[in-house]
mmCIF file of all heavy atoms in Angstrom:
data_model
loop_
_atom_site.group_PDB
_atom_site.id
_atom_site.type_symbol
_atom_site.label_atom_id
_atom_site.label_comp_id
_atom_site.label_asym_id
_atom_site.label_seq_id
_atom_site.Cartn_x
_atom_site.Cartn_y
_atom_site.Cartn_z
ATOM 1 N N LEU A 80 -23.869 -18.266 18.776
ATOM 2 C CA LEU A 80 -22.887 -19.150 19.387
ATOM 3 C C LEU A 80 -21.719 -18.359 20.062
ATOM 4 O O LEU A 80 -21.622 -17.175 19.665
ATOM 5 C CB LEU A 80 -22.202 -20.062 18.288
ATOM 6 C CG LEU A 80 -23.208 -21.004 17.634
ATOM 7 C CD1 LEU A 80 -22.418 -21.776 16.554
ATOM 8 C CD2 LEU A 80 -23.912 -21.956 18.601
ATOM 9 N N LEU A 81 -21.043 -18.921 21.055
ATOM 10 C CA LEU A 81 -19.970 -18.153 21.611
ATOM 11 C C LEU A 81 -18.762 -18.426 20.727
ATOM 12 O O LEU A 81 -18.479 -19.583 20.327
ATOM 13 C CB LEU A 81 -19.716 -18.813 23.085
ATOM 14 C CG LEU A 81 -20.973 -18.473 23.930
ATOM 15 C CD1 LEU A 81 -20.678 -19.129 25.331
ATOM 16 C CD2 LEU A 81 -21.182 -16.986 24.177
ATOM 17 N N PRO A 82 -18.083 -17.398 20.451
ATOM 18 C CA PRO A 82 -16.909 -17.428 19.453
ATOM 19 C C PRO A 82 -15.652 -18.155 20.069
ATOM 20 O O PRO A 82 -15.381 -17.924 21.216
ATOM 21 C CB PRO A 82 -16.626 -16.070 19.090
ATOM 22 C CG PRO A 82 -17.069 -15.324 20.325
ATOM 23 C CD PRO A 82 -18.130 -15.967 20.969
ATOM 24 N N PRO A 83 -14.928 -18.885 19.306
ATOM 25 C CA PRO A 83 -13.653 -19.358 19.707
ATOM 26 C C PRO A 83 -12.637 -18.200 19.745
ATOM 27 O O PRO A 83 -12.821 -17.225 19.019
ATOM 28 C CB PRO A 83 -13.174 -20.295 18.647
ATOM 29 C CG PRO A 83 -13.890 -19.791 17.344
ATOM 30 C CD PRO A 83 -15.177 -19.252 17.854
ATOM 31 N N ILE A 84 -11.663 -18.280 20.670
ATOM 32 C CA ILE A 84 -10.662 -17.138 20.862
ATOM 33 C C ILE A 84 -9.239 -17.634 20.231
ATOM 34 O O ILE A 84 -8.598 -16.719 19.760
ATOM 35 C CB ILE A 84 -10.365 -16.803 22.353
ATOM 36 C CG1 ILE A 84 -11.721 -16.638 23.067
ATOM 37 C CG2 ILE A 84 -9.505 -15.631 22.467
ATOM 38 C CD1 ILE A 84 -12.481 -15.382 22.683
ATOM 39 N N ILE A 85 -9.060 -18.943 20.290
ATOM 40 C CA ILE A 85 -7.714 -19.433 19.800
ATOM 41 C C ILE A 85 -8.036 -20.695 18.939
ATOM 42 O O ILE A 85 -9.083 -21.317 19.041
ATOM 43 C CB ILE A 85 -6.774 -19.872 20.986
ATOM 44 C CG1 ILE A 85 -7.503 -21.027 21.784
ATOM 45 C CG2 ILE A 85 -6.522 -18.661 21.850
ATOM 46 C CD1 ILE A 85 -6.596 -21.630 22.871
ATOM 47 N N GLY A 86 -7.055 -20.959 17.980
ATOM 48 C CA GLY A 86 -7.149 -22.160 17.238
ATOM 49 C C GLY A 86 -5.847 -22.380 16.530
ATOM 50 O O GLY A 86 -4.930 -21.470 16.476
ATOM 51 N N PRO A 87 -5.705 -23.612 15.922
ATOM 52 C CA PRO A 87 -4.456 -23.856 15.226
ATOM 53 C C PRO A 87 -4.109 -22.956 14.087
ATOM 54 O O PRO A 87 -2.926 -22.776 13.680
ATOM 55 C CB PRO A 87 -4.742 -25.367 14.690
ATOM 56 C CG PRO A 87 -5.866 -25.819 15.400
ATOM 57 C CD PRO A 87 -6.682 -24.687 15.846
ATOM 58 N N VAL A 88 -5.273 -22.432 13.428
ATOM 59 C CA VAL A 88 -5.015 -21.470 12.362
ATOM 60 C C VAL A 88 -6.094 -20.424 12.510
ATOM 61 O O VAL A 88 -7.104 -20.625 13.177
ATOM 62 C CB VAL A 88 -5.213 -22.097 10.931
ATOM 63 C CG1 VAL A 88 -3.948 -22.818 10.516
ATOM 64 C CG2 VAL A 88 -6.479 -22.997 10.879
ATOM 65 N N THR A 89 -5.901 -19.277 11.882
ATOM 66 C CA THR A 89 -6.947 -18.298 11.837
ATOM 67 C C THR A 89 -7.122 -17.684 10.430
ATOM 68 O O THR A 89 -6.370 -18.050 9.507
ATOM 69 C CB THR A 89 -6.669 -17.221 13.028
ATOM 70 O OG1 THR A 89 -7.892 -16.301 12.926
ATOM 71 C CG2 THR A 89 -5.442 -16.478 12.651
ATOM 72 N N ASP A 90 -7.984 -16.761 10.218
ATOM 73 C CA ASP A 90 -8.211 -16.130 8.958
ATOM 74 C C ASP A 90 -6.937 -15.531 8.366
ATOM 75 O O ASP A 90 -6.430 -14.564 9.060
ATOM 76 C CB ASP A 90 -9.272 -15.009 9.211
ATOM 77 C CG ASP A 90 -9.686 -14.311 7.913
ATOM 78 O OD1 ASP A 90 -9.205 -14.685 6.869
ATOM 79 O OD2 ASP A 90 -10.535 -13.395 8.034
ATOM 80 N N PRO A 91 -6.538 -15.949 7.217
ATOM 81 C CA PRO A 91 -5.396 -15.322 6.641
ATOM 82 C C PRO A 91 -5.706 -14.049 5.776
ATOM 83 O O PRO A 91 -4.777 -13.514 5.302
ATOM 84 C CB PRO A 91 -4.869 -16.488 5.745
ATOM 85 C CG PRO A 91 -6.099 -17.140 5.212
ATOM 86 C CD PRO A 91 -7.072 -17.050 6.417
#
Side-chain angles (χ1 to χ4, degrees):
L80 297 180
L81 297 176
I84 310 290
I85 60 172
V88 281
T89 185
D90 178 2

